[in-house]
Structure formats: C-alpha cells, structure tokens
C-alpha cells in the first residue's frame, strides 16, 4: 500500500496564523506538533516510510524536509509541484512517482489524505483503512465519510445509497457545502455524511477513471513521472472531487464511526479544538473576564479581553484579526483583497524560514532594517552580494564563520564584522549549537530580492 499526503495548500482561511510562506500544515497549534507531523505519524503506523509520498509546493520543500528530519523519517519520499494545480493533478503526479520510483503496479492500493486533519484514535483509523482496502482492490474508489453531529455548512457532503459494498456503501452523489437549511435536511435524512477528502483506490482504477473522466490530466501524466513533472504547469487547476469523484460510478463511502475527525480548515475548527470547560478557547498570554463563547489566541504580547461574547481575536507580531465567531470562512475573502493590494503580510511573516534556519525582522525603517538570524548547526547561507545595502553582523550566541571575498573569519559571541556593498560574503555555522546573529542593514533599497547568488547548497536562484 502506498500513502500520499497532500501538503501543498496555503490555508488562507487561517490568516494571519497561516501565510503563503508558512501555511497551516506547518503550524504548531496550541503547542501541539504541526498538523503535517501529526499526519505523518498517523500513517507511519499503517505503511513503511519508504511507501509514503508527500506532495508539496516547491517553496515548501525544505519545510517538509525539516519536519521529516525532526521525526527521524528521512526515508519518506517528497515530490514537489512547480505551482499549485489542486488535488487531481497532485494525485496524478504521485501515482506516476509510485509506479516509476517505487515500483508500484496497477493493482497496488493507494490512500490519499490531506495534511490538515486531526484523527483519533489512530488504531481505529488504521483498522478502518484495513477494512476498506478490499473494496478499493475490487475496483472501487473509497472515500472516508464522517457521520454528521450538527448541520455543518463548512463541509461537503456524501449522499450514500442503501447498497452495501464490504464495510461501506455505494455513493449516490456528492453535495457542495450547503446552506444552513439544507444542512439540517441532510442531518435529518441520515444518509448524508461529511466528506473527509480521504480516498482509497487501486492505481489502475484511478488511472482508468482519469483516462475516461479527466483525459486532459491523463494525457499529461501517462508518459511517466519525469514527463508529468515537466508538464505539470499545463495541468488544469481542478480538485479530485470535481475531476473524478462527482462523475465516477465507482465511488463508495466507508464511515469513520467511533473515530474523532477534525478538519482544521478554519478558526471555528480551532475554537472547537481548544474550547475549555468555560466555553472559551484561550491560548497564550491572555487574561479574560466575563467572556463567553470567545476565542483569544495570543502571541508574545499580553491580550486582555473583557465582556466579550462570540468574538475571535488572533494576534501575531505583525497582524491582528478580530471578528465575530462563525465568520471565519470570510477570512479568505479579506486575504484576496490584501493580496490584490500587494500587502506583505499575506506572503510573509516577521519570522521567515529558510533551508539553513530562519530570520526575524526586529525593526524596519527608512534606510535601515534589523534582523535576528539563526543558522542551524552545519548549515550556511549562499555565497552572495548586494548592490544596494551594506550589512553589519554581531554574534549573540554560537560561533560563526564569515567569507568576505577571499578571506574567511571566525567570529564568536559579542564579536562583529562589516560587509560593504558589493562584497561577496557568506555566513556559516561550523558549530554544534545554533548560531544567532543580529544583522543591521543600511541602504536605499532593502528588499529580499537584492541578492546575487554565486553558490548555494540548496540550488536557489
């Protein structure tokens, strides 16, 4: 069995926690392991590491590799998409990789899962997957459904027939996210289930369905992984639901009864995850008084909430979200507006992660910028130069090695060095502990694109 974890989404409904540079699958919500780490751990109990494939956007590749390193799961396969084209092309690409690189054949069963779910207990989930595999091996595409507990309007629904297929039932239809009245009717009917987005199928079955129902995707992927990856930007931007599930007559649903399932796709989902006995969801340096049905997620500064009801407050160092509870689905619309205005906040955090470590912008003013740079042990930045700025580095912890044109300098805590405009330079951590440096930039232009790279361990341009 092959497992495919889809980890390329941006999670705009969780702004400002989630940004395009660091989307929701990497978030460590309320001090828990990231959603991606939880997903990886869940499937490591079902398949060998070498049978797991993570698909992600090229810009998230090193985030994924860092997660795998921390989990000691470096045998897990990672493939990248040159740009986001939705779930149907991602699945097609993963299938070609499984066949070409992992030796899978048409009969092998594959499970595809998003990376932003919480599912407990894992052993019951694994048992359900085991039960569903024969249905998939028999030529069906199994989707895992969740019995609804309320008239939810944020999930798509699966309408099931009475026809049994193994542990599941034949699917009658897929339904879009309903309005409140329709959701109530679904709940009362008893044969409508939330669509988890988790699919189980044989590779041969999905290939045949793509050839018949999504011929444009099939044509671009049929010549193997190398060609499919090269042609990926030509793929249509379409979900697997629209491309295959809603058209196929091979769909079956197996229910996750007795299994807790949460799709962490909105702040309302986070509220339900964190809600305490007092009916509020509080995390961080927060003081509340007489608050009801309210969520306050704090960052580094103190938040005080008094007399609030049905309110959400999400604080980050550079953006603050305040809205009514139940309105979180509209966050993505605000993100679209901010993106159109080219606001930095939609794409970047004050802390930005890089393959070698991270940096945090401490102060940003006219003609100057101050950063705290952390370089992981054994890692180094690219050999580079800047046309418009000089830099001054001071070590606050660890030991650094600096390349300045043809010279190499070792500098330690409280020691500093100056990099003039136009000087080739590189910062490296030769030590065993993280290197932390304060960088002061001065110049008329301080954009991150003022970098000319001459050599880079990570093949960035």
């Amino acid at each position: 069995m092959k497992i495919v974890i889809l980890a390329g989404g941006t999670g705009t409904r969780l702004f400002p926690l989630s940004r395009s540079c660091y989307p929701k699958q990497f978030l460590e919500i309320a001090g828990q392991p990231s959603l991606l780490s939880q997903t990886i751990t869940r499937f490591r109990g079902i398949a060998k590491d070498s049978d797991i494939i993570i698909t992600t956007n090229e810009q998230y590749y090193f985030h994924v590799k860092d997660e795998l390193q921390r989990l000691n799961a470096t045998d897990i396969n990672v493939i990248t998409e040159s740009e986001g084209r939705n779930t149907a092309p991602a699945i097609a690409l993963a299938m070609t990789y499984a066949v070409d690189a992992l030796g899978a054949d048409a009969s092998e069963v594959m499970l595809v899962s998003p990376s932003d779910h919480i599912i407990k207990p894992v052993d019951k989930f694994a048992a359900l997957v085991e039960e569903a595999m024969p249905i998939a091996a028999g030529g069906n595409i199994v989707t895992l459904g969740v019995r609804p507990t309320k008239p939810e309007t944020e999930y798509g629904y699966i309408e099931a027939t009475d026809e049994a297929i193994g542990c599941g039932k034949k699917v009658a239809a897929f339904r879009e996210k309903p309005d409140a009245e329709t959701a109530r009717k679904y709940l009362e009917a008893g044969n409508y289930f939330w669509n988890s987005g988790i699919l189980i199928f044989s590779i041969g079955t999905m290939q045949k369905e793509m050839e018949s129902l999504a011929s444009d995707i099939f044509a671009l992927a049929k010549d193997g992984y190398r060609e499919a990856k090269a042609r990926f930007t030509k793929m249509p931007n379409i979900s697997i639901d629209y491309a295959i599930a809603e058209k196929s007559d091979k769909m079956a649903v197996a229910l996750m009864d007795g299994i807790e399932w949460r799709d962490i796709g909105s702040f309302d989902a986070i509220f339900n995850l964190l809600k305490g006995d007092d009916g509020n969801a509080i995390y961080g340096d927060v003081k509340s008084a007489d608050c009801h049905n309210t969520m306050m997620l704090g960052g580094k500064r103190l938040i005080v909430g008094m007399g609030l009801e049905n309110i959400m407050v999400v604080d980050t160092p550079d953006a603050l979200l305040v809205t009514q509870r139940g309105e979180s689905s509209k966050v993505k619309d605000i993100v679209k507006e901010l993106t159109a205005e080219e606001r930095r906040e939609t794409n970047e955090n004050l802390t930005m992660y890089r393959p070698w470590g991270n940096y945090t912008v401490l102060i940003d003013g006219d003609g100057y910028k101050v950063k705290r740079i952390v370089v992981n042990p054994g890692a180094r930045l690219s050999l580079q130069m800047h046309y418009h700025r000089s830099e001054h580095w001071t070590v606050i912890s660890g030991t650094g090695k600096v390349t300045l044109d043809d010279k190499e300098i070792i500098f330690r805590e409280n020691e500093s060095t100056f990099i003039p405009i136009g000087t080739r330079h590189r910062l490296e951590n030769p030590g065993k502990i993280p290197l932390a440096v304060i960088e002061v930039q001065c110049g008329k232009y301080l954009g991150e694109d003022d970098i000319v790279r001459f050599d880079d361990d990570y093949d960035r341009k």
Side-chain angles (χ1 to χ4, degrees):
M1 183 182 193
K2 299 292 185 286
I3 305 288
V4 176
I5 300 173
L6 304 173
T10 56
T12 55
R13 288 189 295 170
L14 291 183
F15 175 85
L17 292 182
S18 176
R19 317 281 178 101
S20 63
C21 71
Y22 201 71
K24 62 180 177 178
Q25 57 265 33
F26 303 112
L27 294 178
E28 298 178 355
I29 298 171
Q32 296 298 308
S34 73
L35 295 171
L36 177 58
S37 286
Q38 292 184 52
T39 304
I40 293 167
T41 300
R42 181 183 314 132
F43 288 116
R44 293 182 83 186
I46 296 175
K48 298 182 299 183
D49 285 6
S50 57
D51 285 333
I52 298 175
I53 304 166
I54 299 176
T55 69
T56 191
N57 192 290
E58 284 181 351
Q59 72 179 107
Y60 306 146
Y61 175 78
F62 292 104
H63 293 319
V64 173
K65 296 295 282 187
D66 183 58
E67 296 269 355
L68 295 177
Q69 188 72 40
R70 285 189 284 176
L71 292 171
N72 193 26
T74 53
D75 286 342
I76 288 178
N77 306 277
V78 182
I79 62 175
T80 59
E81 307 159 15
S82 49
E83 63 180 56
R85 306 306 292 164
N86 219 314
T87 53
I91 290 170
L93 184 68
M95 287 196 301
T96 64
Y97 182 86
V99 171
D100 288 2
L102 304 183
D105 60 26
S107 66
E108 181 142 16
V109 172
M110 176 174 279
L111 182 150
V112 177
S113 172
S115 57
D116 57 355
H117 293 176
I118 293 175
I119 299 175
K120 300 176 182 178
V122 173
D123 58 344
K124 283 191 175 182
F125 176 73
L128 175 61
V129 171
E130 190 73 25
E131 286 185 74
M133 284 180 66
I135 310 176
N140 300 285
I141 300 173
V142 183
T143 180
L144 299 189
V146 180
R147 197 177 299 276
T149 56
K150 59 180 180 178
E152 179 61 65
T153 61
E154 288 300 306
Y155 301 146
Y157 283 72
I158 305 164
E159 180 185 357
T161 70
D162 292 330
E163 182 183 346
I165 305 179
C167 68
K169 292 184 177 182
K170 192 78 174 176
V171 170
F174 287 81
R175 306 297 183 186
E176 296 294 321
K177 296 176 183 178
D179 57 28
E181 179 60 28
T182 303
R184 279 192 290 272
K185 291 179 180 178
Y186 288 170
L187 184 64
E188 292 168 0
N191 66 322
Y192 288 81
F193 308 103
W194 293 336
N195 184 1
S196 73
I198 301 173
L199 296 172
I200 308 172
F201 51 83
S202 74
I203 291 175
T205 297
M206 183 58 77
Q207 286 175 334
K208 288 178 181 177
E209 291 300 273
M210 283 193 171
E211 183 177 14
S212 172
L213 304 174
S215 57
D216 48 356
I217 296 175
F218 178 80
L220 292 167
K222 67 182 178 63
D223 296 322
Y225 176 70
R226 186 184 297 274
E227 289 299 321
K229 186 172 175 63
R231 300 166 178 169
F232 196 77
T233 57
K234 298 178 181 178
M235 297 263 190
N237 189 336
I238 188 170
S239 71
I240 195 68
D241 285 351
Y242 285 142
I244 302 297
E246 293 184 2
K247 303 174 185 176
S248 176
D249 61 1
K250 300 183 182 300
M251 300 304 302
V253 57
L255 296 183
M256 289 199 280
D257 286 341
I259 299 171
E260 178 187 350
W261 173 83
R262 298 178 187 269
D263 176 1
I264 309 301
S266 70
F267 283 116
D268 290 318
I270 293 180
F271 175 85
N272 292 327
L273 178 67
L274 301 181
K275 183 169 63 175
D277 294 337
D278 62 355
N280 296 316
I282 305 295
Y283 182 77
D285 192 2
V286 175
K287 180 70 175 178
S288 66
D290 194 28
C291 293
H292 305 281
N293 201 33
T294 288
M295 180 171 76
M296 289 185 282
L297 302 183
K300 293 184 177 181
R301 56 187 164 188
L302 171 67
I303 296 177
V304 178
M306 300 174 62
L308 302 178
E309 187 167 359
N310 293 319
I311 296 295
M312 292 196 314
V313 179
V314 181
D315 186 37
T316 68
D318 62 338
L320 173 67
L321 172 69
V322 181
T323 185
Q324 290 281 339
R325 280 214 54 238
E327 298 292 312
S328 67
S329 63
K330 298 179 181 178
V331 172
K332 63 181 179 181
D333 298 326
I334 295 296
V335 172
K336 287 181 181 178
E337 292 183 26
L338 294 171
T339 301
E341 296 170 5
E342 298 184 347
R343 291 294 301 255
R344 175 198 60 78
E345 291 88 350
T346 62
N347 296 315
E348 300 178 7
N349 287 305
L350 290 184
T351 296
M352 295 290 291
Y353 294 87
R354 295 292 185 258
W356 42 261
N358 65 76
Y359 70 80
T360 301
V361 177
L362 305 177
I363 304 173
D364 190 358
D366 186 15
Y368 69 93
K369 183 184 291 186
V370 181
K371 294 180 178 179
R372 183 179 188 270
I373 297 174
V374 177
V375 185
N376 297 328
R380 61 181 184 173
L381 284 66
S382 60
L383 180 63
Q384 59 186 248
M385 64 162 282
H386 312 294
Y387 284 115
H388 304 289
R389 69 175 184 255
S390 63
E391 296 173 338
H392 188 271
W393 292 338
T394 301
V395 177
I396 55 176
S397 66
T399 298
K401 182 165 76 172
V402 180
T403 299
L404 292 175
D405 285 332
D406 297 327
K407 297 187 298 182
E408 288 187 349
I409 302 169
I410 297 294
F411 66 148
R412 301 169 181 83
E413 291 183 20
N414 298 320
E415 296 180 345
S416 61
T417 190
F418 176 69
I419 300 96
I421 293 175
T423 302
R424 292 191 184 202
H425 60 282
R426 170 178 253 157
L427 178 61
E428 182 176 349
N429 180 0
K432 302 296 184 183
I433 64 172
L435 166 67
V437 171
I438 297 297
E439 175 183 271
V440 179
Q441 302 177 358
C442 294
K444 295 187 180 296
Y445 180 75
L446 303 175
E448 290 301 319
D449 56 349
D450 179 24
I451 298 178
V452 178
R453 290 191 173 95
F454 301 100
D455 179 63
D456 184 52
D457 293 346
Y458 314 104
D459 296 323
R460 295 169 297 168
K461 303 301 182 183

